Each structure stands twice: as C-alpha cells, then as structure tokens.
Amino acid sequence: MSSAATLSGRVAVITGGASGIGRATAILLAQHGARIFVGDYRLSSETSQALGAHGITASTCDVRNVADLQRLIDGAATAAGRLDILVNNAGIGMVKQIQAVSEDDWDNCLDTNFKAAFFGAKFAIPYLVSAGGGSIVNTASNAGLLPRAHDPVYSISKMALIGLTKSLALCHSKDRIRINAVCPGPVIDTGMMNSDLAAAIDPTATAKQFIAASPLADAHGRMIRPEEVAEAILYLVSDAACMVTGTAIAIDGGKSLGVPPRS
Ligand code: NAD
C-alpha cells in the first residue's frame, strides 16, 4: 500500500480526536504527512500539548452545535489554505431501553453520532471540491451493521450513519469525493470502553464477554486496538483507496458476521 504512506500536503479535520480512535487516527495521519486539525469538546491543556507534539492543532468544538462544527472546518481550511479529509469520529454510547430514553437522550446521541456527520460533510464538501476531490470517513460501529439489544438508540444512530455514508457517496462521486465508514468492534483504551467497563459490576468478566463476542478478538485473546482502526482510516483517506466509496468496513474481528461458534 505504498500510496498510503504519503499524505504529504493533505489537510484533515478529525472530530473527537482527544482520545481513543480519533486520537490514534490524528497521530497516524500526521505521521504520514497530513496537517491535522482536531476538534473535541473535552480538551485539556495536557491533551492539546500532547497532540501539539505531533504537529496537530487541537481546538474545542462541540459537534452537536452546528455553528461550532462550521467554525472548526472553516478555521482549518482557512489556516491551511485547503481541506482534503474529514473524519467524523466523535461519538457517544447510549445504553438504555426505549422506555428509559428521554428526548434529550435521543437528541444527544443522534446529534453527536449522526447529525454532526451530515453537517460536517456539508461544510467540508465545498473545500474538497475546491481541492479537486477528497475523502470523508465516518466512524460508525459494528452496531451499525447488526443492531444490538442493549443499546437501540446507539445502534439506530450508527445504522443511520452508514446510510448517510452510502447516500452521500453516491451524490459526490462526480466531485471525486469518497465517503466511507469504519465499523469498529470492541476497542480497548478508549473513553467509550473505559466507561463501559467502569459501569460493569465485574469489569474483568465484562471485558471477557466483549472479547468472546468478536471471533478474531477471541482468537487473539484481546480487544481491538485504536491504532488498528486508525490503519483502516489511513487506507480509506489515502490514494490507495481512490476507487473505494460508500463502503462500511468492519474492523470488528468478525463480530457483525453472526453468532460465533460455541467454545
Ligand atoms: P472515546 O470516548 O475515547 O472517543 C470519543 C471522542 O469523542 C472523545 O474524545 C469525546 O470527548 C469526543 N466527543 C464526544 N462527544 C462530542 C461532541 N459532542 N463534540 C466533540 N467531541 C465529542 O471513544 P472511541 O471509542 O475512541 O470513540 C470514537 C468513535 O468510535 C465513536 O464514534 C464511537 O461510537 C466509535 N466506536 C467505538 C467503539 C469502542 O469499542 N470503543 C466501538 C465501535 C465504535
């Protein structure tokens, strides 16, 4: 994948880049030569400094707020003089059954996981057109491929995100804009997984359940690493993927394939 090794001269905005998959992606794309602008609503000065050590510019942005999102994207494109890549990665979980879901819960989850990707694309596309083409990657989930009983609102948000990916991919191929999704399985060292494990009565047993539900994670005896999702995003934004659009690539160790064999 030689052309994946160079993103030199490319400019990327990554939302939710302060931790987990977004942070790993920001660092990997920066290592491949891209100029990176991260937006996150939880941004400590330590995190900004740590990202700055990789040449990454970080700023506070709440992606649920459309004006904030536009400021992030316009600001990056203005500072760098162009924009080539958008990674809509910010996301939150929602482990609640329907009777417990308030309107605020719904808005919070859907605005973060779905609405922000739509408006992020809206604001990024004119810059990508000016650049002669570009790439948008949406961080969906295995829950977007196969809904899960424990988190219906999250599953709905990620299924909608995959629908958005395919629909916009169809609309903007003519502009040489490629729009794809990655669908991670259980990823260790992320805020999302850490809070799931912290909420569990027996975190060790829960971690084992996460691993057991994903056939390859089970075979490796570990969860997926943020860097392993970042590698897929690197491929999708690189010229190596110049004919790839509208896909939803599962980086889930086979979790969304079906029910794994009994051990
Ligand atoms: P994470 O919590 O480490 O990262 C999510 C980031 O998004 C955080 O830095 C958070 O501050 C930021 N964020 C959340 N809401 C925001 C908002 N309104 N505005 C700006 N930033 C906001 O967890 P992660 O696992 O790295 O999550 C990244 C993506 O991966 C999410 O979209 C998540 O749904 C998806 N995902 C994660 C897993 C997993 O097992 N960790 C599995 C499948 C999909």
Side-chain angles (χ1 to χ4, degrees), residues 49-66:
Q49 272 177 16
L51 290 170
H54 295 273
I56 297 165
T57 306
S59 57
T60 303
C61 168
D62 185 337
V63 300
R64 294 168 298 183
N65 180 325
V66 169

Side-chain angles (χ1 to χ4, degrees), residues 15-23 39-43 60-65 68 88-93 108 111-113 116 138-143 148 154 158 161 182-196 210 223 226 229:
T15 67
S19 73
I21 294 166
R23 180 188 153 87
D40 202 296
Y41 73 164
R42 284 198 191 121
L43 198 59
T60 303
C61 168
D62 185 337
V63 300
R64 294 168 298 183
N65 180 325
D68 231 17
N88 288 307
N89 169 78
I92 56 162
N108 197 18
D111 287 0
T112 310
N113 296 359
N138 298 318
T139 307
S141 167
N142 65 90
R148 309 186 297 210
Y154 181 78
K158 296 297 189 178
L161 184 56
V182 289
C183 302
V187 184
I188 197 75
D189 295 334
T190 57
M192 191 170 278
M193 181 56 69
N194 291 346
S195 59
D196 277 357
F210 274 119
M223 289 193 207
V229 182

Side-chain angles (χ1 to χ4, degrees), residues 10-16 25 29 35-39 61 63 69-70 72-74 76 83-90 115-128 133-139 164 168 177-181 233 236-237:
R10 308 280 167 86
V11 178
V13 168
I14 301 174
T15 67
T25 302
L29 269 53
R35 183 162 175 199
I36 306 294
F37 294 82
V38 152
C61 168
V63 300
L69 194 53
Q70 183 161 22
L72 172 70
I73 292 169
D74 286 348
L83 182 67
D84 306 274
I85 296 162
L86 171 66
V87 183
N88 288 307
N89 169 78
K115 185 181 92 172
F118 179 84
F119 284 97
K122 171 177 168 157
F123 301 135
I125 283 170
Y127 293 114
L128 306 191
S135 176
I136 298 176
V137 176
N138 298 318
T139 307
L164 178 157
L168 292 185
I177 296 172
R178 301 180 300 98
I179 306 171
N180 292 286
I233 297 174
L236 287 171
V237 303

